[in-house]
Amino acid sequence: MIKNGFLIPPSSHRSFFPTALRPLKNVQLPLISRKTFAAGELTAGIYGIFRGLNFESDTEIRRKGTFINGLIFVFMISVWLLTGCAAYQRLPDEKEVTPEARDLIDRLDRQNITLTHFKCLVTYRLKGPRGLISGRMGWACIRPDRFRTDIFDFSGRPHTTIASDGQWLYARIRGENKIKKKSVRGTTIKHIIGTPVSAKDMIAFLSGRIPIQAYRSAQVRTSHEQGPVLVLKGKWNRLIEEVYFHKQTLSPRRMAIYTDSGATAYQVDIGPRFTQKGYSFFQTLAFKDGQQNALEMTLKKLWLVENLPASIFKLELP
């Protein structure tokens, strides 16, 4: 059945993707046996690997009025970002930017600037202290802050669905007759992928862009062998972000985000790019932090679309 431009599969829990997915093959689960995912125990296995999704229900939110000390939600399987919620820091009033740094920042700002709506299918390998898990995820995004992602199980059906309408984050796990909900403000996806990435920055990566954090000064550190490095700093000369570029093409090859203490929050190695309808995208993204967490994402399919139904970014019970 076709609805809103999507092929709806005959299932009580439907994905928003236009093609049915075949069952997974060669899934690596060294610390979790396949029995973990059998008959009703799949949810326990997901929680065991991803450490759970911490939300509050609509009833709890209405009772408390505001979300005061809610546990941070974070989801995925898809990449990591800043500690300290840098995505919400106020931009400094005055900036000190060298001409070389301005050229590189402008180059990053122009990348896929007109791209707003897209869908993609990615494979992932998530490695942490508790083991390794592989699988597939589907994304539908509207830049800068609306998204929906389905985490697929072995049969190709979405097991966990997470979405954001720009104000709230929603989560639904198949088999549970409830929707969990949390304010999007200041929220990251650290608890699932191990590194604090905001949803907004994840969308930027998937759309082929490099997220730039709030900064006070910008300069370029030159390397005659490996290419220039864009260095962003905040107040009191605190290091915030570094972007490494290829020497010949000036395409970004690595990015690192730093905590308030100067430690590395996470870094991402960027693989080759591919072009589709005039837009350039990252084929692979490899994230890692200092706590034995690593996430590799490979973009397998991409759909550029003109519109996405607003209803898919807000989860509701049938």
Side-chain angles (χ1 to χ4, degrees), residues 93-104:
D93 295 331
E94 298 181 2
K95 297 180 181 180
E96 299 176 1
V97 183
T98 65
E100 297 82 3
R102 173 53 58 193
D103 289 342
L104 292 177

Side-chain angles (χ1 to χ4, degrees), residues 62 66 78 84 121 123 127 169 205 210 222 224 239 250 257 261 276:
R62 285 194 296 268
T66 56
S78 291
L121 180 67
T123 59
K127 182 180 180 181
L169 284 167
F205 282 119
I210 295 293
T222 58
H224 297 292
L239 183 61
L250 291 183
I257 296 293
S261 65
Q276 183 168 324

Side-chain angles (χ1 to χ4, degrees), residues 250-298:
L250 291 183
S251 178
R253 60 182 178 85
R254 174 180 293 174
M255 190 189 77
I257 296 293
Y258 298 91
T259 66
D260 291 342
S261 65
T264 301
Y266 83 94
Q267 75 174 41
V268 53
D269 289 320
I270 301 168
R273 302 181 76 111
F274 71 94
T275 301
Q276 183 168 324
K277 294 185 178 180
Y279 294 107
S280 180
F281 299 91
F282 304 131
Q283 184 74 59
T284 60
L285 295 164
F287 296 83
K288 62 181 178 181
D289 66 3
Q291 301 178 356
Q292 300 180 357
N293 297 298
L295 174 69
E296 298 178 7
M297 299 177 64
T298 302

Side-chain angles (χ1 to χ4, degrees), residues 6 14-19 21 50 53 73-81 115-126 135-152 156 158 160-165 169-170 184 187-190 192-193 195 197-208 276 281-283 285 287 295-305 307-309 312-313 315:
F6 296 93
R14 295 166 175 165
S15 168
F16 53 87
F17 282 86
T19 55
L21 297 177
F50 300 143
L53 299 172
F73 153 66
V74 277
F75 91 79
M76 168 178 107
I77 266 180
S78 291
V79 222
W80 324 327
L81 231 89
L115 176 64
T116 56
H117 297 63
F118 65 96
K119 299 188 296 180
C120 61
L121 180 67
V122 303
T123 59
Y124 67 88
R125 286 167 50 87
L126 177 64
R136 289 177 287 185
M137 298 178 66
W139 291 77
C141 304
I142 300 180
R143 288 185 44 225
D145 56 7
R146 283 181 286 175
F147 78 93
R148 174 180 173 132
T149 180
D150 281 349
I151 302 174
F152 296 101
T160 301
T161 300
I162 301 169
S164 173
D165 57 8
L169 284 167
Y170 306 87
V184 73
T187 302
T188 70
I189 53 178
K190 176 181 174 64
I192 290 196
I193 59 173
T195 319
V197 180
S198 71
K200 185 175 180 180
D201 289 331
M202 176 64 77
I203 294 171
F205 282 119
L206 294 174
S207 67
Q276 183 168 324
F281 299 91
F282 304 131
Q283 184 74 59
L285 295 164
F287 296 83
L295 174 69
E296 298 178 7
M297 299 177 64
T298 302
L299 199 155
K300 292 295 186 180
K301 293 184 179 180
L302 180 73
W303 297 268
L304 303 181
V305 296
N307 293 290
L308 288 169
I312 71 173
F313 303 112
L315 302 184

Side-chain angles (χ1 to χ4, degrees), residues 28-32 44-52 126-133 191 291-293:
Q28 301 179 17
L29 297 168
L31 300 186
I32 299 182
I46 291 290
Y47 276 131
I49 287 290
F50 300 143
R51 306 172 209 155
L126 177 64
K127 182 180 180 181
R130 304 187 66 169
L132 171 69
I133 186 170
H191 286 197
Q291 301 178 356
Q292 300 180 357
N293 297 298

